[in-house]
Amino acid sequence: MSDLTVAPHEHGVIRLFALDMRPEEAKFLREPGAADQVLGVDGLDPDQIDIFPVSDLEDLGLYGYLHEGGGVSECQLDRSMLEAIEGWVMVVRSAAFGGRAAQLNPDPRLHLLGLFTEEATNWTGGAIETESAKPFSAPQAPIDNDATRRVGSALMAVLALLVIGGALWLIL
């Protein structure tokens, strides 16, 4: 599978493209459907595509944007290569494809600079060995005697019947 093939249900992948075009053309790619055209794919989610000049990142740079903002591990990033990039870039997250498979056919003015994966959350954990985590370790609540509640409910029911009966007797 190439870097231009999007697998079905792909998750956590970021594709970085350099845009070899005038700033006006690059800004136009922010319009709905424009990124679809230059990538050769229909139905992309524009909220998952960032198009900007690298100079907008100021001190953060592409390295910081991908590592701190995109969750890409340091071992995947080449700081010197990313610092050398100038001009406009397009960042396409896999969520832009909506879980669909796709084959990208980018415009010749787009150059794939890299494919990066976000660090996944490790949801595994060891066993919790504290006393409070053991089953049935909570103090047992005393058994509640609800006989008083039943008597009160019965009394309320009798009172309600008397009121309804009295109202009916006055009406008839």
Side-chain angles (χ1 to χ4, degrees):
M1 178 170 18
S2 78
D3 291 346
L4 297 176
T5 301
V6 179
H9 307 294
E10 180 181 272
H11 177 73
V13 177
I14 298 173
R15 288 175 177 79
L16 176 65
F17 292 91
L19 304 178
D20 185 21
M21 54 183 66
R22 296 188 323 265
E24 299 81 31
E25 293 175 302
K27 285 180 188 176
F28 175 74
L29 294 179
R30 295 176 177 166
E31 297 297 319
D36 296 23
Q37 291 176 355
V38 295
L39 290 172
V41 178
D42 291 330
L44 295 176
D45 181 358
D47 292 335
Q48 299 298 324
I49 300 172
D50 295 329
I51 300 166
F52 55 87
V54 175
S55 60
D56 281 359
L57 297 175
E58 297 176 354
D59 293 336
L60 184 65
L62 272 176
Y63 181 87
Y65 174 85
L66 292 169
H67 177 61
E68 295 174 27
V72 177
S73 64
E74 292 181 19
C75 63
Q76 296 181 59
L77 301 173
D78 180 356
R79 185 183 290 269
S80 59
M81 185 272 292
L82 292 171
E83 288 176 352
I85 297 171
E86 295 179 351
W88 286 73
V89 294
M90 178 190 298
V91 178
V92 182
R93 290 178 283 285
S94 57
F97 301 96
R100 294 174 285 126
Q103 178 63 41
L104 301 178
N105 298 307
D107 185 284
R109 299 173 295 170
L110 269 67
H111 306 285
L112 182 65
L113 298 174
L115 182 128
F116 309 99
T117 55
E118 299 172 353
E119 288 182 346
T121 303
N122 183 0
W123 294 102
T124 61
I128 301 174
E129 298 182 14
T130 61
E131 187 64 33
S132 62
K134 293 181 180 174
F136 309 109
S137 63
Q140 301 297 317
I143 297 174
D144 220 3
N145 186 359
D146 57 47
T148 55
R149 279 188 247 153
R150 283 187 273 159
V151 170
S153 297
L155 207 54
M156 288 298 291
V158 168
L159 185 62
L161 286 173
L162 285 174
V163 170
I164 292 171
L168 285 175
W169 181 70
L170 289 173
I171 293 173
L172 298 174

